[in-house]
Amino acid sequence: KFCNKIFQATKFVLMRLGDDYTPPATGALSGNESLVEKWVLHRLTQTSLKINEALESRDFFEATNAIYHFWLNDLCDVYIENSKFLILEGNDIQRKSARDTLYTCIDAALKLIHPFMPFITEEMWQRLPKRSTETAVTIVKAEYPEYVKEYDNAEAESAYNLVLDITKSARSLLAQYGIAKNAKVFIEATKSEYYDIAADQKTSIISLIKAVDDVT
């Protein structure tokens, strides 16, 4: 099932990138990243740090656990779901930024999990377009992802975790009352900064809850 998740996620990324997509030469931030992009890049760099430290200490459980959760929870369940709106409904700047972040994440995620699942990662990585700076002809020889300080953004992680808490609570309530679609969710904020985050991330909340038509 997990192999299929990797296969389907990579296919989805390729579809959203499009046949004419050319990734930027590097993964450096452009300054146009949305909150969810900052969040997923923070999760990526923290995962890279954790995996490299675990491999150095021969803690293979911790290494595989970290990359498994990044793939399943951070990339597939959250960012890929959010990127659909940014790519389909966003303006030109938002679409480009979302695609570039999507590429950075899928490229790094395949490289990170490659030592543990070499066959599927080689197959899927070969299908990706390559940066002009990428010299490796096989993922086996590609540079292994490491911690990138530029991506480290604890403030963005905290802000977007609030969005995830809201969506988790809303999903729980909708399931409890058997509401499958056409729901309207009301959010009451106890602090002004919480309100600002929720209001700014309204489209993200709607896309993650799925059954919701509107958030107030």
Side-chain angles (χ1 to χ4, degrees):
K1 289 182 179 180
F2 187 54
C3 287
N4 186 57
K5 192 80 170 180
I6 293 174
F7 179 78
Q8 295 297 339
T10 309
K11 280 185 64 179
F12 172 84
V13 170
L14 288 168
M15 179 181 68
R16 288 294 181 228
L17 293 178
D19 295 336
D20 60 345
Y21 175 78
T22 301
T26 71
L29 297 180
S30 66
N32 297 319
E33 288 78 14
S34 63
L35 179 60
V36 68
E37 289 174 72
K38 294 174 184 177
W39 176 86
V40 76
L41 290 172
H42 173 82
R43 297 294 306 137
L44 173 62
T45 198
Q46 288 296 318
T47 300
S48 299
L49 176 63
K50 185 179 293 186
I51 291 173
N52 277 279
E53 289 177 345
L55 290 176
E56 284 293 328
S57 60
R58 302 297 189 269
D59 188 346
F60 300 117
F61 171 78
E62 186 63 32
T64 54
N65 191 50
I67 186 55
Y68 175 81
H69 283 290
F70 177 77
W71 263 100
L72 204 62
N73 302 329
D74 301 336
L75 183 56
C76 293
D77 288 353
V78 177
Y79 185 64
I80 282 180
E81 284 299 318
N82 269 243
S83 69
K84 292 177 183 177
F85 174 83
L86 293 169
I87 293 173
L88 296 176
E89 304 294 335
N91 58 40
D92 289 345
I93 293 175
Q94 289 173 322
R95 284 196 294 269
K96 175 172 171 44
S97 184
R99 282 193 177 102
D100 290 346
T101 300
L102 197 57
Y103 177 85
T104 294
C105 288
I106 198 72
D107 177 66
L110 286 170
K111 290 173 180 175
L112 283 169
I113 206 168
H114 175 70
F116 312 105
M117 304 177 73
F119 301 108
I120 189 170
T121 49
E122 179 70 53
E123 171 66 27
M124 302 317 292
W125 190 75
Q126 290 295 342
R127 301 187 187 190
L128 293 179
K130 301 296 184 290
R131 301 188 192 276
S132 60
T133 51
E134 178 64 74
T135 58
V137 296
T138 170
I139 195 172
V140 177
K141 295 186 176 182
E143 185 176 349
Y144 199 69
E146 296 181 342
Y147 171 80
V148 178
K149 183 174 178 55
E150 186 183 26
Y151 293 168
D152 204 328
N153 193 330
E155 184 178 343
E157 180 185 39
S158 177
Y160 202 74
N161 280 345
L162 174 64
V163 174
L164 296 178
D165 288 341
I166 290 171
T167 58
K168 182 179 180 180
S169 298
R171 281 177 172 177
S172 178
L173 283 171
L174 294 175
Q176 180 181 344
Y177 289 99
I179 302 173
K181 60 181 180 178
N182 303 325
K184 186 170 184 178
V185 173
F186 296 85
I187 300 169
E188 183 176 353
T190 56
K191 295 182 179 180
S192 59
E193 57 264 37
Y194 294 167
Y195 172 83
D196 292 340
I197 292 170
D200 183 65
Q201 296 299 307
K202 180 178 177 178
T203 54
S204 288
I205 294 170
I206 291 174
S207 67
L208 288 172
I209 298 176
K210 296 180 182 178
V212 171
D213 278 347
D214 194 16
V215 171
T216 300

